[in-house]
PDB file of all heavy atoms in Angstrom:
ATOM      1  N   LEU A 309     125.469-124.933 -45.851  1.00 70.00           N
ATOM      2  CA  LEU A 309     125.562-125.341 -44.428  1.00 70.00           C
ATOM      3  C   LEU A 309     125.080-124.174 -43.540  1.00 70.00           C
ATOM      4  O   LEU A 309     124.344-124.371 -42.569  1.00 70.00           O
ATOM      5  CB  LEU A 309     126.965-125.822 -44.085  1.00 70.00           C
ATOM      6  CG  LEU A 309     127.170-126.248 -42.633  1.00 70.00           C
ATOM      7  CD1 LEU A 309     126.321-127.452 -42.327  1.00 70.00           C
ATOM      8  CD2 LEU A 309     128.645-126.551 -42.394  1.00 70.00           C
ATOM      9  N   PRO A 339      89.226-140.198  -1.690  1.00 44.00           N
ATOM     10  CA  PRO A 339      88.862-141.257  -2.624  1.00 44.00           C
ATOM     11  C   PRO A 339      88.993-140.814  -4.102  1.00 44.00           C
ATOM     12  O   PRO A 339      88.935-139.635  -4.387  1.00 44.00           O
ATOM     13  CB  PRO A 339      87.346-141.546  -2.255  1.00 44.00           C
ATOM     14  CG  PRO A 339      86.892-140.344  -1.512  1.00 44.00           C
ATOM     15  CD  PRO A 339      88.092-139.669  -0.914  1.00 44.00           C
ATOM     16  N   ALA A 424      51.035-140.504  -5.570  1.00 91.00           N
ATOM     17  CA  ALA A 424      51.890-141.192  -6.489  1.00 91.00           C
ATOM     18  C   ALA A 424      52.396-140.200  -7.595  1.00 91.00           C
ATOM     19  O   ALA A 424      53.622-140.258  -7.980  1.00 91.00           O
ATOM     20  CB  ALA A 424      51.174-142.360  -7.160  1.00 91.00           C
ATOM     21  N   ILE A 428      56.308-139.241  -8.294  1.00 93.00           N
ATOM     22  CA  ILE A 428      56.976-139.376  -9.608  1.00 93.00           C
ATOM     23  C   ILE A 428      57.523-137.956 -10.021  1.00 93.00           C
ATOM     24  O   ILE A 428      58.680-137.904 -10.475  1.00 93.00           O
ATOM     25  CB  ILE A 428      55.955-139.817 -10.655  1.00 93.00           C
ATOM     26  CG1 ILE A 428      55.614-141.319 -10.373  1.00 93.00           C
ATOM     27  CG2 ILE A 428      56.486-139.707 -12.069  1.00 93.00           C
ATOM     28  CD1 ILE A 428      54.401-141.835 -11.173  1.00 93.00           C
ATOM     29  N   ARG A 452      46.736-135.324 -18.112  1.00 71.00           N
ATOM     30  CA  ARG A 452      48.050-134.864 -17.669  1.00 71.00           C
ATOM     31  C   ARG A 452      47.909-134.102 -16.370  1.00 71.00           C
ATOM     32  O   ARG A 452      47.204-133.136 -16.310  1.00 71.00           O
ATOM     33  CB  ARG A 452      48.722-133.991 -18.759  1.00 71.00           C
ATOM     34  CG  ARG A 452      49.334-134.773 -19.872  1.00 71.00           C
ATOM     35  CD  ARG A 452      49.957-133.880 -20.884  1.00 71.00           C
ATOM     36  NE  ARG A 452      51.003-133.011 -20.315  1.00 71.00           N
ATOM     37  CZ  ARG A 452      51.722-132.189 -21.044  1.00 71.00           C
ATOM     38  NH1 ARG A 452      51.557-132.157 -22.352  1.00 71.00           N
ATOM     39  NH2 ARG A 452      52.587-131.409 -20.484  1.00 71.00           N
ATOM     40  N   PRO A 454      49.818-132.188 -13.126  1.00 72.00           N
ATOM     41  CA  PRO A 454      51.084-131.641 -12.585  1.00 72.00           C
ATOM     42  C   PRO A 454      51.278-132.111 -11.179  1.00 72.00           C
ATOM     43  O   PRO A 454      50.374-132.560 -10.518  1.00 72.00           O
ATOM     44  CB  PRO A 454      50.847-130.121 -12.586  1.00 72.00           C
ATOM     45  CG  PRO A 454      49.387-130.022 -12.439  1.00 72.00           C
ATOM     46  CD  PRO A 454      48.751-131.197 -13.132  1.00 72.00           C
TER      47      PRO A 454
END
Side-chain angles (χ1 to χ4, degrees):
L309 181 62
I428 292 169
R452 280 181 56 177

